[in-house]
Every structure is written in C-alpha cells, then in structure tokens.
Amino acid sequence: MQNISQDELVRRLSFGNPWWKSEDLGETVSPVLPHRAFLPAFYRQLKDHKTGRVLELAGPPCVGKTTMLRGVVADLLDKGVAGYEILYCDLAAPSLAFSTPAQLVGTVAEKFGHSPDTELYLFFDDAQYLDGWRKKIQEVAARWPQAHVVVAV
C-alpha cells in the first residue's frame, strides 16, 4: 500500500473541498448547479436523520447522485454552515485510494481541530469502488456520533 503524507492528503482533499478556503461560497460548489427535484426532500432527510447513522443515496450511474450531494453542500453553505464543517470525498478518485474514510475524516479533523462532538457533514461519493464500503462508512459514523454521514453508491 502506498503511503502519502498528511500534508499531501490535505492538499488533495482541499482540491475537492474548495469551500474550505473560499470567501465566495456561491461559486465554489458550481456556478451553475442544476437543482434536482428531490433536493429539498433529501436535504430534509439529512437534517432530520439521527446523527451517528448513515444516510444512503443509491442509484444507477449518471442519474445525478453527485449533483444531489453538491446541491446539498451548496444549501448547507447558503444556510450558514461553515465550510470547514463539510467534507466531500470522491472515493473513486485515485488520489484518495490509499486512505480509508476514517483516515480521511481524521485528517480533516486534525487540520481544523474537530472532535467527535463536532457537528460535521461528511459526504462520501462513489463508495461502491471501496471494498467493504458499508462497514468502513459505518465505522466513521460510530467514531463521529455528531456527524451527518451521507454515502452515494
């Protein structure tokens, strides 16, 4: 297994989470993000579901799961959630292939000083490419009981 430094992992994660450093939050997710019809209902599910559990978004390829996740991130930012409390991970990205979801969240927690008591929003996209994804995502939810954990497969 290849090892990458914490600094390199933070750099790679920062690329996928531009809202960590941008002051113009509206342009960081996507300047012209289409609104999906199910976005309001999905957003309510995210806000209403119990922390410490995983909200799963499933569907065939190219139906808009990633767009839905990005739309939820945009709504969270618009509603005042701090960018550093949101983590989006594309688990199909080769640059993240050598880290577990728990390591990714731990890296972000270290960078921003989060504790397990911090209310976070954790989005794991294309999780089907990760062997044993369900167990690994559940481990994240168990370690971060105040987090809203969403997985797309």
Side-chain angles (χ1 to χ4, degrees):
M1 179 178 273
Q2 178 181 348
N3 289 326
I4 63 172
S5 71
Q6 286 292 100
D7 289 340
E8 180 64 14
L9 188 55
V10 167
R11 189 184 70 73
R12 293 175 187 195
L13 287 170
S14 295
F15 181 78
N17 293 272
W19 44 85
W20 289 352
K21 60 184 175 214
S22 177
E23 293 190 20
D24 185 9
L25 298 178
E27 295 296 312
T28 61
V29 177
S30 178
V32 188
L33 189 65
H35 246 323
R36 299 291 187 208
F38 297 109
L39 182 62
F42 187 74
Y43 183 81
R44 278 192 307 276
Q45 287 290 322
L46 172 68
K47 293 301 284 182
D48 292 344
H49 97 283
K50 295 178 182 172
T51 54
R53 310 231 12 207
V54 177
L55 181 60
E56 188 174 314
L57 179 62
C62 300
V63 296
K65 297 180 299 292
T66 298
T67 301
M68 182 79 76
L69 294 182
R70 293 287 188 167
V72 171
V73 168
D75 279 1
L76 289 169
L77 293 169
D78 287 346
K79 290 179 173 45
V81 174
Y84 59 85
E85 294 174 343
I86 300 170
L87 170 63
Y88 172 85
C89 295
D90 180 357
L91 296 177
S95 61
L96 302 181
F98 300 104
S99 300
T100 67
Q103 289 169 326
L104 298 171
V105 176
T107 297
V108 172
E110 185 176 318
K111 174 179 174 52
F112 293 116
H114 298 315
S115 73
D117 295 330
T118 306
E119 184 176 12
L120 300 174
Y121 295 86
L122 309 174
F123 298 90
F124 298 98
D125 201 1
D126 286 325
Q128 71 273 14
Y129 296 108
L130 179 66
D131 284 337
W133 67 266
R134 186 167 274 127
K135 181 178 179 187
K136 291 175 182 175
I137 300 296
Q138 287 290 352
E139 288 172 359
V140 169
R143 286 185 192 177
W144 297 89
Q146 297 304 312
H148 301 270
V149 181
V150 179
V151 61
V153 293

